[in-house]
Amino acid sequence: MTLDRKPTVIARTVTRLVVPMILVTAIALLLQGHNLPGGGFIAGVLTVTAFALVYIIYGLDYLETELLDRTPAVRYETESGIVREYGRVFASGLAVAAGSGVAAMVLGYPFLTQAVAFLEHLPVYGELEVASALVFDLGVYAVVVGALLTILAEVGAE
Amino acid sequence: MSADLAVSTTHVVIAPMLVALVTAVATLATRRHDRLQRALSLLGVGAYAVGVAVLADRVLSGGTLTYQLSAWPAPFGISLVADALAAFMLSLAALVTVALLVFSVVYVDEQGQRVSYHPLFHFMLLGVSGSFLTGDVFNLFVWFEVMLMPSYVFVAFYSGPRHTAAALQYTVLNLFGSALMLVSIGGLYATTGTLNMADIARRLAAPAEFGIDPAPVLGLSTILLVVFALKAGIVPFHFWVPPAYRAAPAPVSAFLAGVTKKVGIYAIVRLYFTVFAAGAVEGGLGLPALSGESFLAFFGPVLFAMALASMLVGGVGAVSRDALDDVFAYSSISQVGFIVLPLAVVATVSDPALRTLGVVAALVYSLNHAVAKSLLFLVSGTVYDATGTIEFERLGGLTTRFPVLSGSFFVGSLALVGIPPLSGFFGKLLVLDTGGRALAAGTPGAGLALAGALAGAIFTIAYLSRTWSQGFWGEVTPLVEHGSQSSVLVGVVAALALVVVAVGIGFDPVYSFAESAARAALDTDAYVDAVDPGVVARE
């Protein structure tokens, strides 16, 4: 990315404000996904838009230099630095999603069978719904985040 | 407790898919450990073969098995249906895939294997297995996508200009096909009110009871046929085949020609002979030259024209090519014609014995083509590995330098031609037998089918003997002289050649397997009963 034209102060400030909001919304969508609109996929896509905003406004290296406090790896090399970590997120998400299905089989139910439990009389929170579908959603979330960020970082670098 | 036991025994239905999925994830996670990854990949494909064998054994001895994912009852949840047809196709895939993966480990260079070759291969296998097992049309679409996405990457694998161009064409065409498929599946859902294949068949058999108009279903299933013909590479949807097969690595071309194409064939058999066969348009189709009310009375002639055109276009194309892969790619267009032809002939006959024979012919020919064409693509890969070229101009005298390799090619091409006692002989015999019996029964077009099959067979002899004389006989060229072969690659090729011989010699069990598969494919009632989508209505 050539830096002869920096994004305006407005863009940078708005990004700083909006990114946390996007992430919170994404998490909300992820948590309610099993019985309300939302889910792992859309939460993942939303999370990636937050990252995309940071990439566009602050540049490709910002994440690594400022947030992770390290020197970014050399580009144009296959799977360097952060891209490798995105790949790891992708793989572990896939493992979690597949594992959540296999777990049901271990308990003697068909693949991907889900269950739900309600925790009542919790302090402060009251009633809490714990759905096993959330684990699958979490896996999907990681797959989407990992895959899309890999594409963004790789294609963005070119 | 007994319910739990019943559930746990049917886990075997999902075993092939789970093994492929777990292997894909495991090879993805071990990308940085070359040897471990390759070992896991080989272990995975071995486990896949064992899983398929157990499943096939269970199905053949105990009848159709079904599995409701997530324990949602049909038709609401996704059903997996393992009947003899699915088991036959899975066995075909497993047989070829084991050989291909062993070949890949040696053939594909280190860097290539590190760049996701193994996970992608297993995802492709997962998509294929899912397509064979699913009992839900939308889920079929999903598995088609799972199967196609890795194949896009594989066509672009070597990322040269030619590969990129082929991949672009292949991807765009298949995305277009996927869009068509999605639209027609949406339409099917809107008209029949269900996505479960058994439920569609049940509703089509009694359209008035469920308030369905069969005419739009016929139209939508025609659009679906275009998609399946595109996947199977049947003329006029064949043009993507040669560049894609040429561009992909040899074991992947073998997989695309041997296994992925058969998914298109399987979908045609499953949907048109099991599911849509139940449908009929009252008062005839109202189309010129087509009589009869059943859906198959319409699809028969359509498939017939496509099959004949495939045999001739593929045959003519293959005769004039000047590289091994191109000949084999055009050859697979022509061979798919041979697979579809018996299906087309028996679509319009009412005699159940003849219809079973036609489907058996198509299945046996599919098996023969899967093994023999994979063998030929692997020969091409081995020749490239040894000499660095697959062009006839620079090849010659392979028989003197590489006798085992050339012998395997010879066996594979004789199998395609149909010489006894190889697997291809029975394939051709059954196809011609179907044509002959249909002719004796007075089916219109059966004579044309026989003539087309004979012409196609002559083309097969022509292009394969041309390949033999140009590539394998003659003066030893410098490239061949200085080439050196890998013993593992030649071993895999020779093993596949032995399989071709073994299938031909021990044909009896293969035939009875194919026959039970054909019976399962044609017995709509048994399929519906096995899935039992009416369970909710009855309660």
Side-chain angles (χ1 to χ4, degrees), chain B residues 219-232:
Chain B
L220 291 164
S221 52
T222 313
I223 302 178
L224 267 185
L225 184 68
V226 172
V227 179
F228 299 145
L230 182 70
K231 311 289 180 219

Side-chain angles (χ1 to χ4, degrees), chain A residues 78-79 84 87-88 90-91 94-95 98 102 104-114, chain B residues 4 7-8 11 14 18 21-22 25 28-29 31-32 67-71 111 114 116 123:
Chain A
T78 43
E79 300 187 27
R84 177 181 288 199
R88 217 168 280 159
F90 175 82
L94 211 53
V102 177
M105 291 174 71
V106 174
L107 298 174
Y109 298 99
F111 186 61
L112 281 178
T113 304
Q114 306 298 339
Chain B
D4 277 358
V7 166
S8 62
H11 279 328
I14 203 173
L18 270 186
L21 175 63
V22 169
V25 174
L28 192 64
R31 274 206 292 175
R32 258 156 276 291
Y67 191 83
Q68 291 300 131
L69 283 176
S70 307
Q111 164 77 6
R114 214 167 296 145
S116 306
F123 274 122

Side-chain angles (χ1 to χ4, degrees), chain B residues 178-522:
Chain B
S178 300
L180 270 187
M181 187 171 178
L182 197 56
V183 165
S184 50
I185 288 174
L188 275 178
Y189 186 48
T191 42
T192 64
T194 183
L195 290 168
N196 187 290
M197 290 185 200
D199 206 21
I200 293 178
R202 186 175 69 111
R203 286 166 185 237
L204 277 180
E209 196 183 320
F210 293 97
I212 296 172
D213 182 5
V217 178
L218 177 62
L220 291 164
S221 52
T222 313
I223 302 178
L224 267 185
L225 184 68
V226 172
V227 179
F228 299 145
L230 182 70
K231 311 289 180 219
I234 307 172
V235 173
F237 308 104
H238 64 287
F239 40 88
W240 61 270
V241 172
Y245 287 12
R246 180 85 197 262
V252 174
S253 307
F255 191 87
L256 292 178
V259 181
T260 310
K261 270 197 168 186
K262 305 305 178 297
V263 176
I265 300 291
Y266 165 81
I268 289 174
V269 173
R270 171 63 81 216
L271 281 178
Y272 297 92
F273 285 79
T274 312
V275 177
F276 296 132
V281 182
E282 226 170 296
L285 300 166
L287 290 167
L290 295 182
S291 59
E293 298 185 339
S294 124
F295 280 13
L296 279 177
F298 168 70
F299 288 115
V302 172
L303 286 173
F304 190 84
M306 285 161 57
L308 271 188
S310 298
M311 288 195 295
L312 300 180
V313 169
V316 172
V319 168
S320 56
R321 297 300 118 182
D322 39 13
L324 287 174
D325 277 2
D326 289 342
V327 173
F328 300 154
Y330 276 96
S331 158
S332 23
I333 297 171
S334 150
Q335 299 292 318
V336 166
F338 275 102
I339 297 172
V340 177
L341 187 71
L343 291 177
V345 170
V346 298
T348 47
V349 304
S350 50
D351 175 15
L354 183 53
R355 191 172 274 189
T356 311
L357 178 69
V359 178
V360 170
L363 293 178
V364 170
Y365 209 103
S366 296
L367 174 67
N368 169 52
H369 180 247
V371 181
K373 189 51 62 64
S374 307
L375 165 61
L376 294 188
F377 271 112
L378 293 192
V379 166
S380 159
T382 314
V383 169
Y384 186 78
D385 186 65
T387 65
T389 184
I390 51 166
E391 279 161 25
F392 293 148
E393 220 170 59
R394 295 193 277 169
L395 285 176
L398 284 167
T399 40
T400 37
R401 282 282 286 131
F402 310 115
V404 178
L405 182 63
S406 310
S408 306
F409 171 80
F410 193 66
V411 170
S413 38
L414 287 190
L416 277 193
V417 173
I419 303 290
L422 305 171
S423 59
F425 167 68
F426 294 100
K428 279 252 161 56
L429 182 70
L430 287 166
V431 171
L432 293 176
D433 192 26
T434 308
R437 288 190 194 204
L439 188 64
T443 312
L448 190 59
L450 275 178
L454 287 175
I458 291 169
F459 273 122
T460 313
I461 298 174
Y463 62 72
L464 286 173
S465 44
R466 180 170 170 275
T467 308
W468 178 254
S469 62
Q470 296 217 339
F472 290 81
W473 264 349
E475 292 275 304
V476 177
T477 57
L479 277 176
V480 175
E481 183 64 48
H482 301 296
S484 66
Q485 60 183 1
S486 146
S487 51
V488 177
L489 299 187
V490 176
V492 173
V493 170
L496 270 181
L498 285 181
V499 169
V500 169
V501 177
V503 169
I505 291 175
F507 185 66
D508 218 33
V510 177
Y511 182 81
S512 56
F513 194 0
E515 199 182 15
S516 25
R519 282 188 207 290
L522 294 174

